[in-house]
Amino acid sequence: MSSAPVDGGRATQPAAARYRRSPTAPPASFFWTRRIFLGLLTAFVVLPVFVMVSSSLKPLQDVSGEFRWIPSGLTIRPYLDIWTTVPLARYFVNSLIVAGLATVCSVVIAVFAAYAVSRYDFPGRRFFTVSVLSTQMFPGILFLLPLFLIYVNIGRVTGIELFGSRGGLILTYLTFSLPFSIWMLIGYFDSVPRELDEAAKVDGCGPLGALVRVIIPAAVPGIVAVTVYAFMTAWGEVLFASVMTNDTTRTLAVGLQGYATQNDVYWNQVMAASLVVSVPVVVGFLLLQRYLVAGLTAGAVK
């Protein structure tokens, strides 16, 4: 009697049996649908970037005319002219100072406030938390006129010029980023075990020492996420920057409008300047990406 053929000690099976699909596996149409959807999403993201890059390398007459996917001629002249058409360097420095200081102040205050709410039980604790979060329900335009009047009156009474200054813009951005930063860090500090505080106290640390030496190192992802949020809020804000600044303190978000004149719009320089000012944000996001993802998901599962 002939024996069944074997392959490496195992009986060979028909191809249909060896490659039979698992009952729980998704159908083949699912994989094709996913590929098509991801391809369309990639094209939706990449095409605007391609248009910006190609337009920034074209002469003005080519950008103003009929759009061509493949440029007939390339030039780096727009990247040189963006610094002289408008004072882009000054706008860049203003944005770095305003966004940087607003971020630092927001993170420092949010860390102490969130730690106090997370670790201590005091009267009005729940009311404070709800009040902080409820401020995010109102659109920023509702605060534009009140803040304008407050800054003008403060300058008239005390001589401290907040309107048209970097300090006033920093204070304005701080009022918008701080509530969400506090609320986000409260949830993150709640996910940090309280045993770490007790271990620090056993080692002789007080509340401040436990916060600086134990809690903050354990909460780095959450703090990074708050830092990125606060910086992005201040970096790209247009409404308050267009009202609360002047020619000296103007930021990038408003300064890019200077490439549009009464006679023409320098579209190639607009695209070039947009790419240049996006570099710090993109580089920072890529460097902090892993901390940002960990910070945004922290506290979701306990």
Side-chain angles (χ1 to χ4, degrees):
M1 183 175 63
S2 61
S3 58
V6 295
D7 182 11
R10 296 178 301 176
T12 58
Q13 299 177 356
R18 284 187 284 116
Y19 296 101
R20 184 176 300 167
R21 183 183 297 274
S22 173
T24 59
S29 59
F30 169 78
F31 296 101
W32 285 107
T33 303
R34 183 176 63 177
R35 291 168 185 167
I36 294 173
F37 176 77
L38 292 178
L40 294 175
L41 183 61
T42 303
F44 180 78
V45 174
V46 173
L47 283 179
V49 178
F50 173 77
V51 172
M52 290 181 63
V53 174
S54 62
S55 300
S56 66
L57 296 173
K58 296 178 181 179
L60 181 59
Q61 59 271 19
D62 292 348
V63 181
S64 303
E66 182 180 358
F67 177 77
R68 296 181 180 179
W69 290 101
I70 301 178
S72 58
L74 300 178
T75 177
I76 62 171
R77 190 65 191 178
Y79 287 91
L80 302 177
D81 293 338
I82 58 176
W83 307 100
T84 56
T85 303
V86 299
L88 187 65
R90 185 174 66 197
Y91 298 158
F92 196 88
V93 172
N94 289 337
S95 292
L96 285 178
I97 294 175
V98 171
L101 291 180
T103 300
V104 171
C105 295
S106 178
V107 171
V108 171
I109 298 174
V111 166
F112 286 98
Y115 180 74
V117 174
S118 175
R119 289 301 192 263
Y120 297 98
D121 189 10
F122 54 87
R125 176 176 177 269
R126 182 175 179 81
F127 176 77
F128 172 79
T129 306
V130 174
S131 300
V132 165
L133 186 59
S134 63
T135 58
Q136 303 299 305
M137 297 188 304
F138 303 99
I141 195 171
L142 292 179
F143 303 97
L144 180 60
L145 182 58
L147 284 176
F148 172 79
L149 295 177
I150 291 173
Y151 287 175
V152 171
N153 289 326
I154 289 177
R156 184 181 305 167
V157 174
T158 64
I160 301 176
E161 296 295 337
L162 294 177
F163 177 74
S165 66
R166 294 171 180 168
L169 199 59
I170 292 171
L171 186 60
T172 301
Y173 291 157
L174 183 62
T175 60
F176 290 107
S177 62
L178 186 58
F180 183 80
S181 300
I182 294 175
W183 177 79
M184 188 173 179
L185 283 181
I186 289 174
Y188 196 92
F189 286 160
D190 287 341
S191 65
V192 177
R194 294 179 180 269
E195 288 77 8
L196 294 178
D197 301 63
E198 298 175 358
K201 292 178 181 178
V202 171
D203 292 338
C205 294
L208 182 60
L211 172 64
V212 174
R213 298 183 180 181
V214 179
I215 304 302
I216 289 181
V220 167
I223 295 176
V224 169
V226 168
T227 301
V228 173
Y229 165 78
F231 185 83
M232 292 298 296
T233 300
W235 183 262
E237 202 278 328
V238 177
L239 177 62
F240 287 88
S242 61
V243 176
M244 299 292 185
T245 59
N246 51 34
D247 293 338
T248 304
T249 60
R250 190 164 295 160
T251 59
L252 282 171
V254 182
L256 292 179
Q257 300 176 4
Y259 293 105
T261 63
Q262 295 181 353
N263 301 324
D264 205 348
V265 178
Y266 300 99
W267 288 112
N268 53 350
Q269 296 187 35
V270 171
M271 299 301 178
S274 300
L275 291 172
V276 169
V277 302
S278 300
V279 170
V281 179
V282 174
V283 173
F285 179 82
L286 293 177
L287 293 176
L288 302 175
Q289 181 180 8
R290 61 191 183 97
Y291 296 104
L292 179 62
V293 173
L296 291 176
T297 58
V301 178
K302 294 184 179 181

